[in-house]
Amino acid sequence: MINSLLIANRGEIACRIIRTAREMGIRTVAVYSDADAMALHVREADEAVHIGPSPARESYLVGEKIIAAAKATGAEAIHPGYGFLSENAEFAQAVADAGLVWVGPKPSSITAMGLKDAAKKLMAAAGVPVTPGYMGENQDAAFLAEQAAEIGYPVLIKAVAGGGGKGMRKVDDAADFADMLASCQREAAASFGNDHVLIEKYILTPRHIEVQVFGDTHGNVVHLFERDCSLQRRHQKVIEEAPAPGMDEATRADLCAAAVRAAKAVDYVGAGTIEFIADASEGLRADRIWFMEMNTRLQVEHPVTEEITGVDLVEWQLRVASGEPIPLRQEELAINGWAMEARLYAEDPAKGFLPSIGTLELFQLPEHMGRVDTGVYEGAEVSPFYDPMIAKVIAWGEDREEARELLSEMLEESAIWPVKTNSAFLINALDHPDFVAGTVDTGLIGRDGDAMTEEPVPTAQALTNAAMAMVPRSLQSGFRLNAPDVRSAPFLLDGKRVEVELHGPGADEPAPAMLVAESGSVWQLTPWRAEGSAGGAASDGAILSPMPGKVIAVDVAAGDKVTKGQKLLTLEAMKMEHSLTAPFDGVVAELNATAGAQVQVEALLVKIEKEEA
Ligand code: ADP
Ligand code: ADP
Ligand code: MG
């Protein structure tokens, strides 16, 4: 068994690998870029080596630096995680050439599966059903258009070197083919340095079903059943589960046998995933499931397989890389219960899934309720340099519904701020009737996503609770119990003005601001003040009443010259006095307040105009 391991990755997967290595008594070495100097994987490893600037292409993607770090620290083996260099056959070869153990398949297996067209040809030859289409060398546009017509629309144009859901174009109509082909080729050349494409039949009612396979250096290959990753956004997985809903034993046996044949065809060693696309218009049927591609590495969603089989896939990887046989035989593997994983991203679904960066001032995930694989901690930075996935939340249940409910509850219990996350979106997706029924196809989010991406809002009760913590207890007499005079006051909710009902006693120590955490979302509530909202209200010189109240003093008259900060009038509201002051030097152009008058919230009390020079 290897004694020391360098992890050539970052984030949650680096932490995940370190956890198992430590349990096995293996010394761990992390590598990190400038941006990751304080990252969790650096803290958790026994040792860490700085490998360069923040951009991945100057650090995590530079094979020589990683091999040098392994040499310098005496690490015997390198685990690439997923993404980055994990499917780079040249790097795998360089690791071996440097006398280090590569925790992954042989470079030849990576190469064989590296390009989608070559992989499909190889699989077809091995008797694995492949998605119908054209996967030849001829890249002439007119020829490809003929092929598309022969396959029959809709078709999918795919970059042979593509990955991560990029380099794909669905074409519904022959008239659009030429344009879509050109745009796909442009993206493929820019993203993958290879503009070759293949054309596939676009499978209708598509479900993404994949099989976890595992090989060793003694010629054994087993499968660890299937996962369903059909809940996708733009061809990228959002929620994954195992097993697949609606999979019967006979279909499972056929599919998993095909996956094992596929792995054997490339002499596969280590953890790999065979991805299939299923036409689920009539449920899952063995004759309607086709090979799509193989990922020659550990997959993001491997935890759901671990949860239903009890196998630690990273432990298996390390054992197999050390030359041991696979610890269990096929007949010793069984499915126990159901597992579901949600990918938690630092992004804002309401703003088109824009990545959200910054300090995680609040970062709480309910680790006591299930499994949480994360690469960050409270106080850590989410930087703009890497993938915005900050955690994976994984739930296990006796059956699918139990797992689904637990995952939803776990997400509801999460509290992350001020970085935005997709947790409310994930909860909405888990609650979608098609997801509940287990009939999700990959187009669901595209069709019904708008309802899932609506900006979450806190309930009135949550706002009241937070508001009362900001109102001094000395105002308690204002809130007579059982009195009908429920009061309300304006506050700023994430900078937007809201009216909040106040009832019950306030706090001994009023807070200047409160975080409102509810259903997996967090907002900040602050008291609304005329001065505080100067950016909006006062910039144009309009002084509005911040809350309903009584004017108790007016210190200026119409036409008066005032200087910035000068007191204009005093308002009494909620038994507190509020001074309203001039936002800038100017003249009182309008005065709508007299002492003793009751005013409504947002009533225009004074208007200050800048003096003409
Ligand atoms: P695929 O999309 O090819 O089926 P996965 O679902 O396993 O594969 O996702 C792999 C993706 O994870 C990569 O394409 C990349 O965008 C992302 N990724 C790579 N490295 C990291 C990392 N360290 N942390 C989070 N995400 C990563
Ligand atoms: P990547 O390397 O980017 O992961 P894949 O070939 O695995 O590329 O395809 C990604 C996703 O695109 C699949 O999970 C599926 O949702 C969709 N897809 C791929 N091929 C087809 C197809 N022939 N018909 C319908 N959907 C497809
Ligand atoms: Mg894929």
Side-chain angles (χ1 to χ4, degrees):
M1 175 60 59
I2 52 170
N3 290 303
S4 53
L5 176 71
L6 180 141
I7 298 100
N9 214 300
R10 63 175 305 283
E12 67 85 18
I13 192 62
C15 298
R16 158 76 193 87
I17 295 161
I18 291 169
R19 172 169 69 75
T20 290
R22 179 176 308 126
E23 282 166 14
M24 295 172 74
I26 297 171
R27 183 169 68 92
T28 55
V29 180
V31 291
Y32 66 96
S33 66
D34 288 349
D36 277 340
M38 305 289 281
L40 188 61
H41 73 285
V42 174
R43 293 181 166 206
E44 293 196 339
D46 296 314
E47 254 179 272
V49 181
H50 177 246
I51 51 163
S54 304
R57 90 191 89 79
E58 296 171 48
S59 48
Y60 296 107
L61 287 172
V62 186
E64 302 84 67
K65 290 188 181 183
I66 286 164
I67 290 171
K71 289 278 181 200
T73 54
E76 291 167 63
I78 294 184
H79 193 311
Y82 55 71
F84 294 141
L85 294 166
S86 61
E87 292 181 278
N88 185 319
E90 265 175 51
F91 179 63
Q93 188 60 56
V95 169
D97 291 347
L100 302 166
V101 174
W102 167 251
V103 183
K106 289 181 229 172
S108 60
S109 312
I110 301 178
T111 304
M113 290 296 190
L115 296 177
K116 293 182 203 285
D117 53 346
K120 283 180 72 177
K121 281 184 232 166
L122 188 72
M123 289 301 103
V128 177
V130 303
T131 321
Y134 173 75
M135 43 200 165
E137 280 301 307
N138 193 339
Q139 296 288 303
D140 175 67
F143 174 81
L144 290 175
E146 276 169 33
Q147 293 299 314
E150 207 163 293
I151 294 163
Y153 286 91
V155 298
L156 194 62
I157 309 173
K158 259 190 205 181
V160 300
K166 271 205 201 153
M168 276 191 280
R169 295 290 184 284
K170 180 185 176 213
V171 191
D172 293 307
D173 193 310
D176 303 328
F177 185 84
D179 282 354
M180 294 292 225
L181 174 65
S183 104
C184 187
Q185 287 169 329
R186 268 197 306 277
E187 183 175 306
S191 305
F192 314 109
N194 177 345
D195 69 359
H196 272 229
V197 298
L198 57 81
I199 316 285
E200 260 176 22
K201 174 101 195 133
Y202 186 84
I203 305 301
L204 297 172
T205 328
R207 273 177 64 183
H208 176 118
I209 311 278
E210 58 183 38
V211 177
Q212 176 73 54
V213 293
F214 220 104
D216 65 20
T217 50
H218 306 269
N220 305 303
V221 176
V222 299
H223 69 80
L224 291 97
F225 312 101
E226 81 281 1
R227 295 184 285 255
D228 188 326
C229 314
S230 300
L231 195 83
Q232 300 188 347
R233 193 182 146 261
R234 298 190 174 176
H235 305 302
Q236 285 170 340
K237 299 157 188 169
V238 175
I239 291 173
E240 303 103 344
E241 61 188 294
M247 177 74 79
D248 63 64
E249 279 307 328
T251 306
R252 171 173 296 133
D254 267 18
L255 182 70
C256 293
V260 168
R261 273 204 305 283
K264 284 188 168 158
V266 291
D267 210 1
Y268 202 76
V269 172
T273 294
I274 315 285
E275 295 190 334
F276 296 89
I277 191 90
D279 166 355
S281 53
E282 293 173 30
L284 294 176
R285 289 175 32 175
D287 60 346
R288 294 204 187 159
I289 304 183
W290 301 274
F291 171 88
M292 201 160 47
E293 65 160 344
M294 178 172 193
N295 292 323
T296 51
R297 54 171 160 87
L298 191 66
Q299 200 100 337
V300 174
E301 57 274 21
H302 76 276
V304 293
T305 298
E306 297 187 320
E307 294 303 306
I308 61 158
T309 58
V311 168
D312 181 330
L313 287 168
V314 174
E315 179 190 335
W316 279 27
Q317 284 189 301
L318 296 173
R319 291 195 181 285
V320 163
S322 303
E324 292 183 18
I326 297 170
L328 293 178
R329 289 191 308 271
Q330 187 68 62
E331 55 277 19
E332 293 173 303
L333 288 159
I335 297 176
N336 175 30
W338 211 284
M340 226 176 252
E341 167 185 289
R343 299 187 184 197
L344 194 65
Y345 282 89
E347 64 185 12
D348 190 350
K351 293 208 172 70
F353 293 88
L354 198 72
S356 178
I357 56 170
T359 306
L360 291 162
E361 289 179 32
L362 187 66
F363 183 77
Q364 285 171 17
L365 293 174
E367 302 194 19
H368 58 286
M369 293 171 72
R371 174 169 171 183
V372 174
D373 284 15
T374 184
V376 295
Y377 53 90
E378 200 163 272
E381 290 286 324
V382 179
S383 85
F385 296 103
Y386 315 108
D387 195 283
M389 190 176 80
I390 50 176
K392 301 184 307 206
V393 181
I394 304 123
W396 181 90
E398 294 284 349
D399 57 29
R400 185 170 188 270
E401 187 53 18
E402 202 180 297
R404 190 189 68 82
E405 278 174 17
L406 178 59
L407 183 55
S408 188
E409 283 164 29
M410 289 178 75
L411 290 165
E412 298 230 349
E413 290 298 312
S414 71
I416 299 167
W417 185 85
V419 172
K420 298 269 185 197
T421 75
N422 63 339
S423 72
F425 169 75
L426 293 169
I427 293 166
N428 290 339
L430 286 168
D431 282 344
H432 190 284
D434 289 0
F435 192 86
V436 175
T439 56
V440 167
D441 68 71
T442 61
L444 178 70
I445 291 177
R447 289 190 303 271
D448 285 2
D450 286 354
M452 300 177 199
T453 53
E454 252 172 52
E455 185 137 43
V457 289
T459 58
Q461 186 59 54
L463 284 180
T464 295
N465 294 347
M468 292 316 296
M470 280 185 276
V471 177
R473 186 178 279 270
S474 57
L475 299 184
Q476 200 164 344
S477 57
F479 311 107
R480 270 162 289 137
L481 279 178
N482 305 320
D485 61 334
V486 171
R487 290 150 188 268
S488 71
F491 286 82
L492 287 174
L493 182 68
D494 285 350
K496 271 175 256 137
R497 195 185 168 289
V498 289
E499 196 71 20
V500 182
E501 275 194 11
L502 302 174
H503 35 79
D508 287 333
E509 302 257 352
M514 287 295 291
L515 292 182
V516 185
E518 188 179 51
S519 302
S521 296
V522 181
W523 303 263
Q524 187 182 47
L525 193 69
T526 49
W528 191 92
R529 293 185 217 285
E531 308 94 276
S533 61
S539 61
D540 57 2
I543 311 298
L544 308 180
S545 171
M547 50 193 82
K550 185 176 164 186
V551 178
I552 56 170
V554 179
D555 302 59
V556 291
D560 278 5
K561 276 192 178 183
V562 292
T563 55
K564 183 175 174 194
Q566 183 179 335
K567 192 154 118 188
L568 304 172
L569 54 83
T570 307
L571 192 71
E572 186 198 66
M574 295 158 56
K575 303 244 157 130
M576 281 193 288
E577 287 190 7
H578 302 273
S579 301
L580 302 185
T581 58
F584 43 72
D585 294 359
V587 178
V588 177
E590 226 180 295
L591 180 65
N592 302 318
T594 49
Q598 289 289 338
V599 292
Q600 296 303 309
V601 65
E602 286 197 288
L604 177 66
L605 302 176
V606 187
K607 188 153 173 60
I608 308 294
E609 266 172 21
K610 285 209 167 109
E611 273 199 277
E612 302 292 354

